[in-house]
Amino acid sequence: MKRTHWTEIQKQLAAQGCCGSTQNLYLTAFKTVAKEAWTLDQLPQSSYLKIQALKGVKYERLPKGRSLTAKEAAGLLKACDDGTNQGKRDIALFALMLGCGLRRAECVRLEMKN
């Protein structure tokens, strides 16, 4: 287990289009395995320290709790419109969420009497 192994894994993750948080999750798992291997004397300390020095991927995420733009909302409703009853249900559900400002948890707790 070497630092170069992580470089190869990271290249494959990036080629698959994995986001930064997923790549960092894999890095954490890689470091944890390296620590366990070092603890069991299966990895030299120099290799272990080089692996532990690896930095995570820097990435930018969307702000939490942001509102959808009108274009995004229209795209969401359009994506549901497939001509099936499930599509009509989904449109109604998303329209209710968008129109009333309901959260997912609030929406799934709705009953017909509401």
Side-chain angles (χ1 to χ4, degrees), residues 67-82 86-99 102 104:
S67 298
L68 294 178
T69 65
K71 187 176 180 180
E72 290 172 326
L76 177 63
L77 294 175
K78 186 177 179 184
C80 295
D81 191 13
D82 61 0
Q86 290 85 1
K88 291 175 184 174
R89 176 205 58 205
D90 293 345
I91 291 171
L93 191 60
F94 282 122
L96 183 65
M97 291 173 75
L98 292 166
L102 296 177
R104 291 180 313 227

Side-chain angles (χ1 to χ4, degrees), residues 4-91:
T4 55
H5 293 125
W6 169 248
T7 306
E8 187 59 36
I9 292 169
Q10 190 176 24
K11 284 179 188 176
Q12 290 177 8
L13 291 172
Q16 293 174 5
C18 292
C19 65
S21 62
T22 302
Q23 292 181 35
N24 287 339
L25 182 65
Y26 274 82
L27 177 59
T28 300
F30 188 77
K31 286 181 174 184
T32 304
V33 170
K35 183 176 183 178
E36 190 63 25
W38 173 70
T39 303
L40 297 171
D41 293 326
Q42 296 178 354
L43 184 67
Q45 185 175 9
S46 61
S47 294
Y48 169 68
L49 292 174
K50 288 176 184 177
I51 290 170
Q52 291 304 312
L54 290 168
K55 301 284 186 205
V57 177
K58 292 191 179 192
Y59 62 97
E60 194 173 314
R61 46 170 81 163
L62 294 172
K64 287 186 176 181
R66 72 176 184 86
S67 298
L68 294 178
T69 65
K71 187 176 180 180
E72 290 172 326
L76 177 63
L77 294 175
K78 186 177 179 184
C80 295
D81 191 13
D82 61 0
T84 65
N85 286 336
Q86 290 85 1
K88 291 175 184 174
R89 176 205 58 205
D90 293 345
I91 291 171

